[in-house]
Each structure stands twice: as C-alpha cells, then as structure tokens.
C-alpha cells in the first residue's frame, strides 16, 4: 500500500540502512537522527559485525549524533527507526532526551513502547518523546519477514 503522503527523507534513509544491514547478514533495522531537518547521525544493526550486543541501529545512530553535537543530550532531535525500539533502546532514547520518535513497524516480541513494558508510560521514565508509529510499516515489515524467512 502506498502511503497517502510522500515518505519523509529520514525514514527513506532508515529503510536504506535496514537493507544494508540485511546485506551484511544483520537483522534489517536502520535508524536516523535529525536535528532541524538535517541528518546528524545514522546507524544500522551491527551486533554481529561489531560483536556488541548494544550495537542496535538506534544506539549506533544516537552515538553518531551525540558525537556530531559533542553532547550527550540529543535535545530537539528526532529519531527515525524501522522497528519499534526494544527496552534498551527506549531507555537510551529517554536518557538522550530525544524530542520525537518515528518508527515503521511495531515489534510484538521485543518492543517496549506499544508492546511489553511500555517504557514511556512508566512513572519512573524521566523523559517521554512524542511517538509516531506506522510510517513505512509495509516496507519495513516486508524487509524483516523476508530476512527471517530465508533463515528459517
């Protein structure tokens, strides 16, 4: 299904990064951090390549954005990601003070926003970004489904 509006450039870039992750035999997830509309950090899943369990696309993108800004806070930044963030990434998003989070497809097994712990709804969560799901849901879902179908 074609969305009723053009897909924003940051989500198109996140999808391209997800495809690159799949080509490298990583779970196809991509993420982009923007500030004032400009991309300041991007990442794709790198767990296997980096032998790093924390190298999720969101973490990689936020690390790059923090280095770009020379600041551990990403205040005023938006995060665009192809899959609903897991609890680890949701915690990092909160700590980084991301303003808005856009994601493509929900994750019933590992998601932490609409699924599972619903981290941003917890009273202990110190910062809650605006959250928008469903952007490019069909394309991101197909990337994940195709990736895992080959491996089963």
């Amino acid at each position: 299904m074609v969305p009723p509006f053009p897909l924003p450039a940051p989500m198109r870039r996140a999808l391209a990064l997800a495809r690159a992750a799949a080509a490298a035999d990583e779970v196809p997830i991509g993420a982009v951090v923007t500030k004032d509309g400009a991309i300041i950090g991007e990442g794709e899943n790198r767990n296997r390549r980096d032998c790093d369990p924390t190298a999720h696309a969101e973490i990689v993108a936020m690390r790059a954005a923090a280095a770009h800004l020379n600041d551990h806070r990403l205040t005023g930044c938006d995060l665009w990601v192809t899959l609903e963030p897991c609890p680890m990434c949701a915690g990092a998003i909160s700590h980084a003070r991301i303003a808005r989070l856009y994601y493509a497809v929900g994750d019933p097994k590992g998601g932490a926003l609409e699924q599972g712990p619903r981290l941003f709804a917890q009273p202990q969560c110190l910062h809650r970004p605006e959250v928008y799901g469903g952007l490019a849901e069909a394309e991101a879902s197909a990337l994940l489904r195709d990736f895992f179908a080959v491996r089963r």
Side-chain angles (χ1 to χ4, degrees):
M1 183 167 115
V2 177
F5 52 86
L7 195 59
M11 187 57 81
R12 284 197 313 270
R13 180 63 185 148
L15 287 164
L17 290 162
R19 287 189 290 276
D25 202 31
E26 298 276 0
V27 176
I29 302 170
V32 169
V33 177
T34 60
K35 184 158 179 107
D36 300 324
I39 293 174
I40 62 167
E42 59 182 40
E44 61 195 57
N45 267 13
R46 300 191 55 86
N47 304 100
R48 291 181 178 148
R49 286 175 281 178
D50 293 354
C51 297
D52 181 354
T54 69
H56 289 195
E58 300 95 312
I59 302 295
V60 174
M62 288 190 292
R63 284 176 180 157
H68 175 84
L69 295 175
N70 195 33
D71 194 348
H72 69 289
R73 299 281 192 229
L74 299 176
T75 306
C77 293
D78 299 338
L79 176 63
W80 305 74
V81 63
T82 59
L83 184 67
E84 177 184 358
C86 72
M88 174 186 70
C89 292
I93 290 164
S94 178
H95 282 283
R97 307 298 196 261
I98 292 287
R100 283 165 296 280
L101 168 65
Y102 301 89
Y103 70 90
V105 65
D107 183 0
K109 289 185 179 179
L113 310 181
E114 292 183 10
Q115 325 290 327
R118 300 176 190 260
L119 188 111
F120 298 146
Q122 300 304 314
Q124 297 84 359
C125 185
L126 300 177
H127 171 78
R128 294 166 183 84
E130 296 175 29
V131 178
Y132 304 93
L135 260 60
E137 184 174 13
E139 187 172 349
S141 182
L143 279 170
L144 288 159
R145 187 177 48 253
D146 295 348
F147 178 82
F148 287 112
V150 170
R151 282 146 186 85
R152 290 189 179 121

